[in-house]
């Protein structure tokens, strides 16, 4: 739920908006340091490299969770446990990317094809120049590159994330299908994933799904201490209904969303959602999570998760939403299988074991 995830979601949206122009923007080559390979993963004759530039992006976008903004922490003996944890986190996130790229190719779409290259080129044009739907940078390529740097990305990692976005889109189309009963088209296709309503309901009633309510605060306008007070107040109510009504009373969005809640699966989201997913499945019904700080490139927020009960009434009234989460769960289980196979064929390089985390920066 951090900055890189937010970027990915934005990219997925903008890919469908990109418009062509005659002007092209030259790729910015990575330095030898940025191209340094830290790990390799292999599967079915394909090899994927975790380079320093990708490690740097993932590390910098998550390091504050461990070092609290003090980079010197990584040079202390106390950092050893945190180093193991963040390396596992970075590896898992990188494997999410590589597994999607691999699966996309397996189902028939090469994310390194000419078609993918064209999509990437169009996105960059749109981002730099702007349009009716995208603000852009007025054609200033240097400002666009500076915006990438502010998100701890270089040009190469940006294009990798775009390939990942394209791969995810193609995987979803393949397994979900492109049929839309409300807007049928001649070329729509059924998805490769086969299931019944009984399968969906069994998932809903089982241990792999959870119903939660999420209360969100804008960190720019409220202190962490104040949110902690709200969290403690929520936890003090004797009934779940009273807690949800209290939460709805100060939520800026639709109060019904808080009261109705939403379903998630253990694997319905990628590793980028680890914190919220862990909270949802570790709590009992009626429990209130600790305050979770969620930072994206657009906002800084405090989240509180409230565990709700999974009633038959909810499943009946929200079946399409439940089905959507079930399908996401199934797709991510498939991706997770690829991810596990890649992880089983990992090779660490000397450049990885000798990394000095205290010196990692975009400067």
């Amino acid at each position: 739920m951090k900055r890189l995830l937010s970027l990915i979601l934005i990219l997925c949206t903008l890919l469908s908006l990109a418009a062509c122009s005659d002007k092209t923007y030259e790729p910015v080559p990575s330095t030898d340091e940025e191209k340094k390979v830290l790990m390799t993963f292999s599967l079915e004759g394909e090899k994927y490299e975790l380079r320093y530039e990708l490690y740097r992006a993932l590390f910098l976008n998550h390091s504050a969770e461990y070092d609290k903004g003090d980079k010197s922490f990584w040079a202390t003996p106390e950092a050893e446990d945190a180093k193991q944890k963040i390396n596992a986190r970075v590896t898992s996130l990188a494997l999410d990317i590589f597994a999607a790229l691999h699966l996309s190719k397996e189902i028939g779409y090469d994310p390194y094809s000419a078609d993918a290259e064209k999509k990437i080129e169009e996105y960059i044009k749109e981002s730099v120049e702007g349009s009716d739907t995208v603000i852009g940078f007025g054609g200033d390529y240097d400002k666009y590159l500076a915006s990438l740097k502010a998100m701890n990305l270089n040009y190469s990692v940006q294009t990798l994330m775009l390939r990942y976005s394209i791969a995810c889109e193609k995987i979803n189309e393949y397994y979900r299908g492109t049929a839309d009963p409300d807007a049928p088209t001649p070329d729509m296709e059924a998805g490769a994933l086969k299931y019944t309503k009984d399968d969906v309901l069994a998932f809903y009633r089982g241990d792999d799904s959870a119903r939660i309510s999420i209360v969100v605060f804008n960190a720019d306008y409220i202190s962490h201490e104040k949110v902690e007070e709200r969290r403690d107040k929520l936890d003090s109510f004797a009934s779940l209904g009273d807690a949800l009504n209290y939460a709805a009373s100060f939520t800026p969005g639709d109060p019904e969303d808080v009261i109705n809640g939403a379903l998630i699966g253990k694997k319905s989201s990628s590793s980028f959602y680890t914190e919220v997913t862990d909270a949802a499945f570790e709590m009992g019904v009626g429990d209130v999570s600790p305050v979770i700080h969620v930072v994206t490139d657009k906002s800084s927020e405090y989240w509180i998760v409230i565990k709700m009960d999974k009633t038959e009434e909810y499943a009946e009234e929200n079946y399409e939403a439940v089905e959507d989460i079930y399908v996401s769960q199934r797709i991510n289980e498939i991706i997770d299988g690829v991810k596990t196979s890649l992880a089983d064929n990992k090779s660490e390089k000397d450049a990885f074991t000798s990394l000095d985390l205290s010196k990692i920066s975009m400067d």
Side-chain angles (χ1 to χ4, degrees), residues 113-248:
S113 65
D115 181 75
E117 296 296 339
K118 182 180 178 182
K119 289 177 184 290
I120 291 170
E121 183 180 285
E122 289 174 349
Y123 165 74
I124 292 173
K125 289 176 183 177
E126 181 83 355
S127 297
V128 176
E129 297 170 7
S131 69
D132 291 341
T133 53
V134 177
I135 295 175
F137 295 90
D140 191 328
Y141 191 40
D142 288 336
K143 286 185 177 179
Y144 167 72
L145 294 174
S147 75
L148 296 184
K149 185 176 180 180
M151 292 183 285
N152 300 314
L153 307 175
N154 65 358
Y155 184 93
S156 177
V157 175
Q158 163 80 330
T159 57
L160 176 63
M161 300 314 302
L162 286 166
R163 292 187 203 284
Y164 174 50
S165 299
I166 294 166
C168 289
E169 179 184 10
K170 295 300 180 180
I171 290 168
N172 271 282
E173 286 181 0
Y174 178 80
Y175 287 107
R176 290 180 182 273
T178 57
D180 184 352
D182 298 325
T185 60
D187 60 344
M188 64 185 186
E189 297 180 359
L193 200 62
K194 306 302 179 187
Y195 58 90
T196 66
K197 185 173 182 178
D198 287 342
D199 294 328
V200 174
L201 293 177
F203 161 73
Y204 174 77
R205 294 165 182 150
D207 295 332
D208 287 337
S209 71
R211 182 184 172 196
I212 59 174
S213 180
I214 301 176
V215 187
V216 180
F217 303 85
N218 188 327
D220 294 331
Y221 300 102
I222 189 170
S223 68
H224 185 275
E225 291 73 20
K226 186 64 176 179
V227 177
E228 288 284 0
E229 290 177 11
R230 293 277 177 89
R231 184 263 165 209
D232 292 343
K233 177 70 173 178
L234 283 168
D235 199 32
S236 71
F237 285 101
S239 75
L240 176 61
D242 289 341
L244 293 173
N245 285 327
Y246 172 69

